[in-house]
Structure formats: structure tokens, C-alpha cells
Amino acid sequence: MEYTDLMKQAEDHNKKMMTKEINVCDLLTHDDREAIAKIIDQRVAKEYPINNEFKWVFECKGHFIC
């Protein structure tokens, strides 16, 4: 089964369960994001002491069950 099919099934299931999904990242302030980025950068540097540039993306979702 394709990824998009699975995502559609998950979306349909959520609608049936009457859930409300939110992007938690929208609730974070600039200072919050900077603090999280600093923590991640420090821990990655400690765990993987490689001099190559490290790129990452932060996603955080949550949902309410109504």
C-alpha cells in the first residue's frame, strides 16, 4: 500500500474518531524554538562528533479526542 493511501486511511480514521489534530510547533515562541534547536545541536554534536554540517527538521503534532 502506498504512503498516500495510508495517510488517507489515517485521516479518515481520525475523522471518524472525531479528533482535532494540531501542529504543536505553532504554539512555540521563537525563544522556545531556539532553546530546542540548541539542545538538539549540542546532543547531536556530542553523540556524533563529525565535522560535517548537520541539517534537521522539527515536527511536533498532537490531537484532541472529542
mmCIF file of all heavy atoms in Angstrom, residues 30-58:
data_model
loop_
_atom_site.group_PDB
_atom_site.id
_atom_site.type_symbol
_atom_site.label_atom_id
_atom_site.label_comp_id
_atom_site.label_asym_id
_atom_site.label_seq_id
_atom_site.Cartn_x
_atom_site.Cartn_y
_atom_site.Cartn_z
ATOM 1 N N HIS A 30 9.556 31.991 19.467
ATOM 2 C CA HIS A 30 10.892 31.989 18.857
ATOM 3 C C HIS A 30 11.929 31.521 19.885
ATOM 4 O O HIS A 30 12.824 30.725 19.552
ATOM 5 C CB HIS A 30 11.244 33.388 18.339
ATOM 6 C CG HIS A 30 12.613 33.474 17.767
ATOM 7 N ND1 HIS A 30 12.950 32.921 16.554
ATOM 8 C CD2 HIS A 30 13.754 34.015 18.267
ATOM 9 C CE1 HIS A 30 14.231 33.127 16.331
ATOM 10 N NE2 HIS A 30 14.746 33.794 17.343
ATOM 11 N N ASP A 31 11.807 31.997 21.111
ATOM 12 C CA ASP A 31 12.750 31.581 22.167
ATOM 13 C C ASP A 31 12.657 30.081 22.440
ATOM 14 O O ASP A 31 13.675 29.429 22.678
ATOM 15 C CB ASP A 31 12.503 32.372 23.447
ATOM 16 C CG ASP A 31 12.898 33.839 23.320
ATOM 17 O OD1 ASP A 31 13.680 34.177 22.402
ATOM 18 O OD2 ASP A 31 12.416 34.647 24.139
ATOM 19 N N ASP A 32 11.430 29.536 22.420
ATOM 20 C CA ASP A 32 11.248 28.091 22.605
ATOM 21 C C ASP A 32 11.983 27.324 21.517
ATOM 22 O O ASP A 32 12.700 26.358 21.789
ATOM 23 C CB ASP A 32 9.766 27.707 22.544
ATOM 24 C CG ASP A 32 8.929 28.273 23.664
ATOM 25 O OD1 ASP A 32 9.481 28.574 24.736
ATOM 26 O OD2 ASP A 32 7.707 28.424 23.457
ATOM 27 N N ARG A 33 11.801 27.766 20.278
ATOM 28 C CA ARG A 33 12.433 27.082 19.146
ATOM 29 C C ARG A 33 13.952 27.171 19.211
ATOM 30 O O ARG A 33 14.658 26.203 18.914
ATOM 31 C CB ARG A 33 11.932 27.676 17.833
ATOM 32 C CG ARG A 33 10.468 27.392 17.580
ATOM 33 C CD ARG A 33 9.961 28.194 16.392
ATOM 34 N NE ARG A 33 8.524 28.137 16.317
ATOM 35 C CZ ARG A 33 7.849 27.719 15.269
ATOM 36 N NH1 ARG A 33 8.488 27.333 14.192
ATOM 37 N NH2 ARG A 33 6.542 27.694 15.296
ATOM 38 N N GLU A 34 14.447 28.317 19.620
ATOM 39 C CA GLU A 34 15.897 28.486 19.764
ATOM 40 C C GLU A 34 16.444 27.554 20.845
ATOM 41 O O GLU A 34 17.504 26.949 20.676
ATOM 42 C CB GLU A 34 16.241 29.940 20.104
ATOM 43 C CG GLU A 34 16.077 30.900 18.955
ATOM 44 C CD GLU A 34 17.134 30.712 17.877
ATOM 45 O OE1 GLU A 34 18.293 30.411 18.203
ATOM 46 O OE2 GLU A 34 16.774 30.866 16.699
ATOM 47 N N ALA A 35 15.738 27.437 21.953
ATOM 48 C CA ALA A 35 16.185 26.559 23.043
ATOM 49 C C ALA A 35 16.184 25.099 22.599
ATOM 50 O O ALA A 35 17.139 24.357 22.881
ATOM 51 C CB ALA A 35 15.284 26.751 24.266
ATOM 52 N N ILE A 36 15.146 24.677 21.902
ATOM 53 C CA ILE A 36 15.065 23.302 21.402
ATOM 54 C C ILE A 36 16.186 23.045 20.407
ATOM 55 O O ILE A 36 16.859 22.007 20.460
ATOM 56 C CB ILE A 36 13.684 23.032 20.775
ATOM 57 C CG1 ILE A 36 12.603 23.037 21.861
ATOM 58 C CG2 ILE A 36 13.678 21.706 20.015
ATOM 59 C CD1 ILE A 36 11.192 23.095 21.339
ATOM 60 N N ALA A 37 16.417 23.982 19.493
ATOM 61 C CA ALA A 37 17.480 23.837 18.497
ATOM 62 C C ALA A 37 18.843 23.712 19.160
ATOM 63 O O ALA A 37 19.675 22.898 18.747
ATOM 64 C CB ALA A 37 17.460 25.018 17.532
ATOM 65 N N LYS A 38 19.068 24.498 20.188
ATOM 66 C CA LYS A 38 20.349 24.459 20.894
ATOM 67 C C LYS A 38 20.565 23.084 21.539
ATOM 68 O O LYS A 38 21.651 22.511 21.452
ATOM 69 C CB LYS A 38 20.396 25.560 21.949
ATOM 70 C CG LYS A 38 21.715 25.689 22.647
ATOM 71 C CD LYS A 38 21.727 26.867 23.596
ATOM 72 C CE LYS A 38 23.068 26.992 24.288
ATOM 73 N NZ LYS A 38 23.104 28.106 25.226
ATOM 74 N N ILE A 39 19.527 22.566 22.178
ATOM 75 C CA ILE A 39 19.614 21.249 22.819
ATOM 76 C C ILE A 39 19.913 20.173 21.777
ATOM 77 O O ILE A 39 20.804 19.335 21.957
ATOM 78 C CB ILE A 39 18.315 20.914 23.578
ATOM 79 C CG1 ILE A 39 18.164 21.829 24.797
ATOM 80 C CG2 ILE A 39 18.278 19.438 23.982
ATOM 81 C CD1 ILE A 39 16.788 21.786 25.426
ATOM 82 N N ILE A 40 19.185 20.182 20.679
ATOM 83 C CA ILE A 40 19.384 19.165 19.646
ATOM 84 C C ILE A 40 20.776 19.269 19.046
ATOM 85 O O ILE A 40 21.477 18.256 18.896
ATOM 86 C CB ILE A 40 18.290 19.276 18.560
ATOM 87 C CG1 ILE A 40 16.948 18.851 19.164
ATOM 88 C CG2 ILE A 40 18.639 18.423 17.340
ATOM 89 C CD1 ILE A 40 15.758 19.096 18.279
ATOM 90 N N ASP A 41 21.208 20.475 18.710
ATOM 91 C CA ASP A 41 22.538 20.654 18.133
ATOM 92 C C ASP A 41 23.633 20.162 19.073
ATOM 93 O O ASP A 41 24.583 19.502 18.645
ATOM 94 C CB ASP A 41 22.775 22.125 17.769
ATOM 95 C CG ASP A 41 21.985 22.560 16.549
ATOM 96 O OD1 ASP A 41 21.514 21.681 15.793
ATOM 97 O OD2 ASP A 41 21.828 23.779 16.362
ATOM 98 N N GLN A 42 23.509 20.464 20.367
ATOM 99 C CA GLN A 42 24.516 20.033 21.339
ATOM 100 C C GLN A 42 24.542 18.516 21.479
ATOM 101 O O GLN A 42 25.610 17.905 21.537
ATOM 102 C CB GLN A 42 24.242 20.672 22.699
ATOM 103 C CG GLN A 42 24.555 22.143 22.754
ATOM 104 C CD GLN A 42 24.134 22.770 24.078
ATOM 105 O OE1 GLN A 42 23.413 22.173 24.878
ATOM 106 N NE2 GLN A 42 24.572 24.009 24.293
ATOM 107 N N ARG A 43 23.379 17.904 21.540
ATOM 108 C CA ARG A 43 23.328 16.448 21.724
ATOM 109 C C ARG A 43 23.798 15.696 20.492
ATOM 110 O O ARG A 43 24.452 14.658 20.597
ATOM 111 C CB ARG A 43 21.934 16.021 22.135
ATOM 112 C CG ARG A 43 21.623 16.526 23.528
ATOM 113 C CD ARG A 43 20.374 15.973 24.095
ATOM 114 N NE ARG A 43 20.128 16.571 25.400
ATOM 115 C CZ ARG A 43 19.021 16.397 26.078
ATOM 116 N NH1 ARG A 43 18.056 15.653 25.598
ATOM 117 N NH2 ARG A 43 18.871 16.972 27.255
ATOM 118 N N VAL A 44 23.466 16.214 19.307
ATOM 119 C CA VAL A 44 23.950 15.583 18.075
ATOM 120 C C VAL A 44 25.468 15.698 18.004
ATOM 121 O O VAL A 44 26.154 14.730 17.681
ATOM 122 C CB VAL A 44 23.281 16.210 16.828
ATOM 123 C CG1 VAL A 44 23.991 15.788 15.547
ATOM 124 C CG2 VAL A 44 21.814 15.829 16.772
ATOM 125 N N ALA A 45 26.003 16.871 18.319
ATOM 126 C CA ALA A 45 27.456 17.069 18.290
ATOM 127 C C ALA A 45 28.163 16.143 19.278
ATOM 128 O O ALA A 45 29.250 15.629 18.984
ATOM 129 C CB ALA A 45 27.779 18.527 18.603
ATOM 130 N N LYS A 46 27.548 15.923 20.434
ATOM 131 C CA LYS A 46 28.150 15.043 21.440
ATOM 132 C C LYS A 46 28.099 13.583 20.993
ATOM 133 O O LYS A 46 29.073 12.843 21.144
ATOM 134 C CB LYS A 46 27.414 15.211 22.778
ATOM 135 C CG LYS A 46 27.982 14.377 23.887
ATOM 136 C CD LYS A 46 27.232 14.614 25.180
ATOM 137 C CE LYS A 46 27.789 13.748 26.299
ATOM 138 N NZ LYS A 46 27.051 13.936 27.545
ATOM 139 N N GLU A 47 26.966 13.173 20.447
ATOM 140 C CA GLU A 47 26.768 11.781 20.048
ATOM 141 C C GLU A 47 27.517 11.432 18.759
ATOM 142 O O GLU A 47 27.988 10.318 18.586
ATOM 143 C CB GLU A 47 25.268 11.511 19.871
ATOM 144 C CG GLU A 47 24.909 10.069 19.618
ATOM 145 C CD GLU A 47 25.096 9.157 20.816
ATOM 146 O OE1 GLU A 47 25.049 9.650 21.958
ATOM 147 O OE2 GLU A 47 25.270 7.944 20.606
ATOM 148 N N TYR A 48 27.594 12.400 17.847
ATOM 149 C CA TYR A 48 28.212 12.174 16.536
ATOM 150 C C TYR A 48 29.270 13.257 16.289
ATOM 151 O O TYR A 48 28.996 14.239 15.606
ATOM 152 C CB TYR A 48 27.161 12.221 15.424
ATOM 153 C CG TYR A 48 26.040 11.241 15.628
ATOM 154 C CD1 TYR A 48 24.845 11.636 16.229
ATOM 155 C CD2 TYR A 48 26.175 9.910 15.231
ATOM 156 C CE1 TYR A 48 23.814 10.735 16.425
ATOM 157 C CE2 TYR A 48 25.146 9.006 15.427
ATOM 158 C CZ TYR A 48 23.971 9.423 16.026
ATOM 159 O OH TYR A 48 22.954 8.526 16.217
ATOM 160 N N PRO A 49 30.447 13.085 16.841
ATOM 161 C CA PRO A 49 31.483 14.125 16.705
ATOM 162 C C PRO A 49 32.085 14.148 15.297
ATOM 163 O O PRO A 49 33.247 13.848 15.093
ATOM 164 C CB PRO A 49 32.513 13.732 17.760
ATOM 165 C CG PRO A 49 32.341 12.260 17.922
ATOM 166 C CD PRO A 49 30.891 11.982 17.675
ATOM 167 N N ILE A 50 31.247 14.507 14.345
ATOM 168 C CA ILE A 50 31.660 14.599 12.942
ATOM 169 C C ILE A 50 31.623 16.076 12.568
ATOM 170 O O ILE A 50 30.718 16.808 12.966
ATOM 171 C CB ILE A 50 30.695 13.790 12.048
ATOM 172 C CG1 ILE A 50 30.671 12.326 12.483
ATOM 173 C CG2 ILE A 50 31.091 13.917 10.579
ATOM 174 C CD1 ILE A 50 29.571 11.517 11.827
ATOM 175 N N ASN A 51 32.575 16.520 11.800
ATOM 176 C CA ASN A 51 32.650 17.935 11.447
ATOM 177 C C ASN A 51 31.752 18.323 10.282
ATOM 178 O O ASN A 51 31.768 19.465 9.860
ATOM 179 C CB ASN A 51 34.100 18.326 11.133
ATOM 180 C CG ASN A 51 34.940 18.310 12.396
ATOM 181 O OD1 ASN A 51 34.438 18.516 13.495
ATOM 182 N ND2 ASN A 51 36.223 18.048 12.237
ATOM 183 N N ASN A 52 30.965 17.394 9.747
ATOM 184 C CA ASN A 52 30.064 17.717 8.657
ATOM 185 C C ASN A 52 28.875 18.525 9.177
ATOM 186 O O ASN A 52 28.455 18.375 10.333
ATOM 187 C CB ASN A 52 29.539 16.456 7.984
ATOM 188 C CG ASN A 52 30.638 15.653 7.318
ATOM 189 O OD1 ASN A 52 31.766 16.122 7.213
ATOM 190 N ND2 ASN A 52 30.319 14.463 6.881
ATOM 191 N N GLU A 53 28.319 19.343 8.296
ATOM 192 C CA GLU A 53 27.149 20.136 8.683
ATOM 193 C C GLU A 53 25.947 19.220 8.888
ATOM 194 O O GLU A 53 25.716 18.290 8.110
ATOM 195 C CB GLU A 53 26.843 21.157 7.583
ATOM 196 C CG GLU A 53 25.738 22.105 7.938
ATOM 197 C CD GLU A 53 25.508 23.164 6.881
ATOM 198 O OE1 GLU A 53 26.098 23.070 5.791
ATOM 199 O OE2 GLU A 53 24.739 24.067 7.144
ATOM 200 N N PHE A 54 25.182 19.463 9.936
ATOM 201 C CA PHE A 54 24.009 18.658 10.270
ATOM 202 C C PHE A 54 22.757 19.493 10.035
ATOM 203 O O PHE A 54 22.615 20.593 10.559
ATOM 204 C CB PHE A 54 24.082 18.208 11.738
ATOM 205 C CG PHE A 54 22.887 17.423 12.190
ATOM 206 C CD1 PHE A 54 22.673 16.143 11.733
ATOM 207 C CD2 PHE A 54 21.974 17.976 13.075
ATOM 208 C CE1 PHE A 54 21.569 15.416 12.148
ATOM 209 C CE2 PHE A 54 20.868 17.251 13.499
ATOM 210 C CZ PHE A 54 20.668 15.974 13.034
ATOM 211 N N LYS A 55 21.846 18.978 9.221
ATOM 212 C CA LYS A 55 20.567 19.646 8.948
ATOM 213 C C LYS A 55 19.453 18.791 9.529
ATOM 214 O O LYS A 55 19.484 17.570 9.446
ATOM 215 C CB LYS A 55 20.345 19.790 7.430
ATOM 216 C CG LYS A 55 21.368 20.645 6.734
ATOM 217 C CD LYS A 55 21.103 22.084 7.010
ATOM 218 C CE LYS A 55 22.013 22.956 6.156
ATOM 219 N NZ LYS A 55 21.822 24.350 6.391
ATOM 220 N N TRP A 56 18.463 19.434 10.097
ATOM 221 C CA TRP A 56 17.337 18.692 10.659
ATOM 222 C C TRP A 56 16.065 19.530 10.585
ATOM 223 O O TRP A 56 16.101 20.734 10.399
ATOM 224 C CB TRP A 56 17.626 18.253 12.090
ATOM 225 C CG TRP A 56 17.958 19.363 13.046
ATOM 226 C CD1 TRP A 56 19.165 19.962 13.214
ATOM 227 C CD2 TRP A 56 17.066 20.017 13.947
ATOM 228 N NE1 TRP A 56 19.093 20.938 14.169
ATOM 229 C CE2 TRP A 56 17.804 20.993 14.639
ATOM 230 C CE3 TRP A 56 15.726 19.869 14.241
ATOM 231 C CZ2 TRP A 56 17.235 21.805 15.611
ATOM 232 C CZ3 TRP A 56 15.167 20.682 15.207
ATOM 233 C CH2 TRP A 56 15.925 21.638 15.882
ATOM 234 N N VAL A 57 14.936 18.840 10.730
ATOM 235 C CA VAL A 57 13.612 19.464 10.711
ATOM 236 C C VAL A 57 12.871 18.981 11.946
ATOM 237 O O VAL A 57 12.905 17.801 12.286
ATOM 238 C CB VAL A 57 12.831 19.062 9.438
ATOM 239 C CG1 VAL A 57 11.425 19.605 9.472
ATOM 240 C CG2 VAL A 57 13.560 19.526 8.199
ATOM 241 N N PHE A 58 12.210 19.896 12.609
ATOM 242 C CA PHE A 58 11.455 19.573 13.821
ATOM 243 C C PHE A 58 9.968 19.636 13.524
ATOM 244 O O PHE A 58 9.464 20.655 13.073
ATOM 245 C CB PHE A 58 11.820 20.579 14.925
ATOM 246 C CG PHE A 58 11.101 20.345 16.224
ATOM 247 C CD1 PHE A 58 11.378 19.240 17.004
ATOM 248 C CD2 PHE A 58 10.155 21.243 16.678
ATOM 249 C CE1 PHE A 58 10.729 19.028 18.202
ATOM 250 C CE2 PHE A 58 9.494 21.034 17.881
ATOM 251 C CZ PHE A 58 9.784 19.928 18.641
#
